[in-house]
Amino acid sequence: MAEIIQRDGTWHFDGETVRIVPGRGKGVHPLRQELGECAVPLRALAGVSFEPDRKGGRLRLRLRDGACPVLRAAGGRLKDAADPYQLTVEKDRSGVAEYFADEVRDALRVEQVPTGAVDGFLLPGPAVPVAGGGGDGTASFDGETVRLTWNWKAKEVKLSGGPVAFPVSEVTGVHWMPAIGLENGHLRFVRGEDPASRAQEAEYDPYALDLWGLSKKEYTAVLVAAAVLVRLPGAAERAPAALPAAPEESAAPAADDHDVALRRLRELGELHRSGVLTDDEFAAAKQAVLRRL
């Protein structure tokens, strides 16, 4: 077991799942706060790293391609501060962050988790109902129906048509793009096979929010996109990529596992003696290593 508690959030690893609880402080990005607690199974991970700097560092989980609907919806366009799989680490907890990364890394090696892409989501995505604001309105989704409501900043073509609602069964695609520089972004829903609406500017498209980039809260629109993605027609039928069958357990652990365990126990002892790990943290971590054997 490994755990790191920071103002930015808390990460806990029990050997099978990394449980992430975001912080609630003023400096925590709204996207992470709205997403809330999430559990990342070991089989969804491709790697982990700790990147130290003079202020402390950053702990990062690297997920397998296609495993997370939020990352799929974001398409690599999330800022570091908004990424739910990153944790800002304070300087006095750098040793704990290194230990946490090593524990996850060793578990990935022992379980032989592949690092390649998966065919289906391994995380459930944002809980519903979920809502996200834009420059000219708000998008919401309750698990069955997508709703777009407009504010007074919306163009007349949207205001005159009134709020829009349609079942998720009619959605064939959803696209999120944050505002970048002077270019507005959008949250756009595609219905049916007609591509006409895709050519429209988001400010005139009744199936799109116009994102202006004036507030971090606009990033929460990607959570609506992610929640819709996991419920698109056919998404439930796509089975997650199967992991290779685990080899039969032998009576004695492999020599490599013994070496890893002994090295980890030595490292734990050093961290405990130096005061990085408390008595409770040391005892729990030592038992986790022994259980793995």
Side-chain angles (χ1 to χ4, degrees):
M1 183 185 76
E3 183 174 69
I4 179 167
I5 302 173
Q6 297 290 271
R7 286 194 294 264
D8 198 37
T10 298
W11 286 16
H12 174 88
F13 179 58
D14 62 5
E16 298 179 352
T17 303
V18 177
R19 191 166 299 279
I20 297 173
V21 181
R24 289 293 171 185
K26 187 176 180 181
V28 180
H29 198 282
L31 185 153
R32 292 172 53 211
Q33 292 187 349
E34 291 296 325
L35 179 61
E37 181 177 338
C38 58
V40 185
L42 193 64
R43 64 189 182 125
L45 294 177
V48 60
S49 64
F50 174 62
E51 302 164 5
D53 59 34
R54 77 185 165 79
K55 292 184 178 180
R58 189 173 293 273
L59 194 57
R60 298 177 188 259
L61 291 180
R62 182 165 60 88
L63 272 67
R64 296 172 65 189
D65 217 11
C68 173
V70 174
L71 296 186
R72 172 73 68 83
R77 294 182 287 266
L78 285 182
K79 295 181 178 179
D80 281 354
D83 189 336
Y85 306 114
Q86 298 192 30
L87 180 73
T88 300
V89 177
E90 296 155 32
K91 193 169 185 178
D92 64 344
R93 303 307 280 170
S94 294
V96 177
E98 290 276 14
Y99 166 66
F100 189 99
D102 283 345
E103 283 292 289
V104 175
R105 197 176 294 117
D106 285 348
L108 289 170
R109 186 190 65 78
V110 170
E111 297 298 329
Q112 299 182 13
V113 177
T115 59
V118 297
D119 296 328
F121 297 125
L122 300 180
L123 279 79
V128 292
V130 61
D136 61 355
T138 299
S140 62
F141 179 55
D142 62 6
E144 296 181 357
T145 303
V146 178
R147 291 181 172 82
L148 299 173
T149 57
W150 315 115
N151 60 35
W152 64 273
K153 303 170 191 173
K155 295 292 185 183
E156 180 59 30
V157 66
K158 289 184 175 181
L159 292 173
S160 61
V164 176
F166 47 90
V168 70
S169 59
E170 294 181 1
V171 178
T172 56
V174 56
H175 307 280
W176 175 80
M177 173 71 73
I180 301 175
L182 298 177
E183 294 291 328
N184 285 3
H186 61 259
L187 171 63
R188 188 190 305 276
F189 299 94
V190 180
R191 300 172 68 202
E193 299 298 326
D194 184 5
S197 67
R198 306 181 209 186
Q200 284 185 290
E201 295 289 339
E203 59 184 339
Y204 299 105
D205 185 352
Y207 301 113
L209 286 185
D210 197 20
L211 305 180
W212 299 348
L214 300 179
S215 168
K216 290 181 180 180
K217 287 285 286 184
E218 283 194 6
Y219 268 78
T220 58
V222 76
L223 300 180
V224 181
V228 170
L229 268 183
V230 298
R231 293 169 177 83
L232 287 183
E237 286 74 33
R238 293 197 301 269
L243 294 179
E248 293 184 7
E249 294 184 3
S250 59
D256 285 349
D257 290 345
H258 272 302
D259 292 343
V260 169
L262 291 174
R263 187 180 73 248
R264 174 64 66 244
L265 290 172
R266 284 195 295 269
E267 291 170 351
L268 288 174
E270 292 171 3
L271 290 171
H272 183 232
R273 284 191 295 275
S274 63
V276 172
L277 293 178
T278 65
D279 291 345
D280 289 343
E281 289 172 333
F282 172 66
K286 185 171 69 172
Q287 286 302 315
V289 173
L290 296 176
R291 279 198 304 272
R292 189 168 298 160
L293 285 175

